[in-house]
Amino acid sequence: MWRQLPFFLWLIALWMLLWGQWSWTALLAGVVAAVIVTRVFRLPPVELSGRVNLWYGAIFVLSFLGALVRGSLTVALQVLDWRRQPGAAIVAVPLRVDDDLIMTHTAVTASLIPGSLIVEADRDRRILYLHVIGVHNVHDVERQRASVWGWERRIVKAVGSRAQVERVNADAASHVAGDRR
């Protein structure tokens, strides 16, 4: 029960946000709604790492806001440039961390940034498939793949376990070493 408490509280807060009321009545209705949702729509428990790094969380949020602005401007310029087609591709991105919550956060983050959209998530093989606009060559595909890996790394550093952090750091170091050769 204690593992589900953060999700339960989140459901109550979400209920109150949806109704736009911070009152005792909304709180009580939120508790009732959360009980119904958690009992009727039973999902497997999500294992949290129990670790939150506020510094890397802030880095994630600031990077995300910057990517939103940059992505919006890029897509707007691609749409307004009638001389050439923006180009599109489906890009497969194998994730490095085997964790459903990290995979979900990475997929949502990649989808919220203008110019890319998750079209499929292969949970068993840990691969995200993105539809990306603005792709003209293999370099653009690799840049998009590296971008998703960067989001995965930021999310893991913010809320992942120590083993997951070590994994993404080791993979990032091996990619940098591979680029130097």
Side-chain angles (χ1 to χ4, degrees), residues 3-4 7 42-48 100:
R3 287 184 182 167
Q4 298 301 316
F7 298 111
R42 295 194 58 91
L43 295 173
V46 175
E47 295 293 326
L48 299 175
D100 290 343

Side-chain angles (χ1 to χ4, degrees), residues 5-53:
L5 185 62
F7 298 111
F8 190 80
L9 295 174
W10 171 246
L11 285 173
I12 295 168
L14 186 62
W15 180 267
M16 294 172 76
L17 285 170
L18 287 173
W19 286 101
Q21 296 180 0
W22 296 95
S23 65
W24 290 109
T25 306
L27 177 69
L28 184 61
V31 169
V32 170
V35 167
I36 291 170
V37 166
T38 56
R39 295 297 163 227
V40 173
F41 304 107
R42 295 194 58 91
L43 295 173
V46 175
E47 295 293 326
L48 299 175
S49 69
R51 183 189 153 282
V52 175
N53 187 312

Side-chain angles (χ1 to χ4, degrees), residues 57-141:
I59 289 173
F60 169 79
V61 169
L62 292 174
S63 300
F64 179 70
L65 293 174
L68 280 178
V69 172
R70 188 174 51 253
S72 298
L73 293 174
T74 301
V75 170
L77 291 174
Q78 289 171 347
V79 168
L80 295 174
D81 186 5
W82 64 87
R83 294 172 291 163
R84 76 182 226 192
Q85 293 292 320
I90 301 292
V91 178
V93 183
L95 298 179
R96 298 168 291 194
V97 175
D98 186 15
D99 184 286
D100 290 343
L101 196 59
I102 299 294
M103 183 177 194
T104 302
H105 286 313
T106 304
V108 169
T109 301
S111 279
L112 287 174
I113 297 170
S116 65
L117 179 70
I118 298 294
V119 293
E120 184 177 349
D122 184 343
R123 180 179 177 222
D124 295 331
R125 295 182 349 193
R126 298 184 340 252
I127 299 175
L128 296 177
Y129 294 92
L130 289 85
H131 179 271
V132 182
I133 63 172
V135 175
H136 299 288
N137 53 40
V138 175
H139 174 71
D140 293 339
V141 170

